[in-house]
Amino acid sequence: MPPFSSYTEPPLMQSFNINLSLSLSLSLSLWCEFASEVIHSRRIQKLMGDISVSNGISNGNGVNGKNHSLNGYRKSCWYEEEIEENLRWCFALNSILHTGASQFQDIALLDTKPFGKALVIDGKLQSAETDEFIYHESLVHPALLYHPNPKTLFIMGGGEGSTAREILRHKTVEKVSMCDIDEEVVDFCRSYLVVNREAFCDPRVELIINDARAELESRKECFDVIIGDLADPIEGGPCYKLYTKSFYEYTVKPRLTRNGVFVTQAGPAGIFSHTEVFSCIYNTLKQVFKYVVPYSAHIPSYADTWGWVMASDVPFCLSAEEFDLRMKQRIKGENRYLDGRTFASASTLSKAVRTSLENETQVYTEGAARFIYGHGRQNQD
């Protein structure tokens, strides 16, 4: 099938010839509206080069730095993500700032109208400028605040730099080892995500390009907190093996200090979507650690509630007031989203989700893996 659906131009439309060369996955699509017509690029598959539109796109900053116009016919261009087979989520674009492909993943940086700059990897939106603080504050701060004195941290993934940025706000932190397998993603984010440049330059940050499993297994030292800021477990993606029981039990847990805390992003956690991977990751960590806390928050750019799971062999015993006191004592600056009462709410899941988690029986293994909807590069080749 060609990468674009067939299109018969209306009488008043000039010919429309798009040569899209985005290295994006199956689930990423672009729409352009012209007058009352919608031209839909169905599934952009492994396209290489620049975006060009023969009769133009006027995108402010342009597409890949080029300015175009549609001779008065253009309304807007749209990004679309296929969330599941019968459900898609789309929003308007100002421009496509950059696209690329690494050995492991397809990458795009979009300038969206509702959410600002947005990072897309393998056709899945990773973070957006206007609401990434919800995800990263939720991922980082609970684990560090529950630990009595977090000094050394290891980030699995996190090439975007936002997780390191939030960690470095903690006054106790002495060293952050950030390990991402994809050097091109790291370089891409360091170049284009200005908000995180200070984090990349901080002398406390050790940047490692390696597989997180191999890196942890080669290390002799232990860490106070290990954070899984990995890409979603999608079929054919590079990360799903880092959500397995064997990885948690034999690689992560031995690298934690006595009071150590592990936390991972755990995929969609909505009323319908939590059974994709969230419940399974929770149940898997229950097999490895004594104390496991699932929690979630709505992230507008994801069009869903998102989940995290925190685990330790030491109980999590902080009231909302104690949580806030530690924030005041330890963290530089004010959080925009998270405080003690917010975390208490986030870790109080709905009845339906609680019931699913309590009844979950599957343990995540390489042979019995669950995936969120979508496909990584390896599955497209």
Side-chain angles (χ1 to χ4, degrees), residues 9 28 38 54 102 149 192 214 217 310 336 357 365 378 380:
E9 66 180 35
L28 186 146
V38 175
S54 63
S102 73
N149 187 28
Y192 289 96
E217 288 175 349
M310 185 169 60
R336 296 173 62 188
L357 267 60
T365 66
Q378 296 170 27
Q380 298 174 44

Side-chain angles (χ1 to χ4, degrees), residues 271 274 348-359:
I271 194 73
H274 69 275
T348 305
L349 304 176
S350 70
K351 178 182 178 181
V353 176
R354 288 198 317 272
T355 301
S356 288
L357 267 60
E358 289 165 3
N359 294 331

Side-chain angles (χ1 to χ4, degrees), residues 58-67 94-97 111 117:
S58 179
N59 283 352
N61 292 333
V63 178
N64 285 350
K66 301 176 183 179
N67 291 315
N94 291 313
S95 63
I96 298 164
L97 299 174
D111 183 9
K117 293 183 180 66

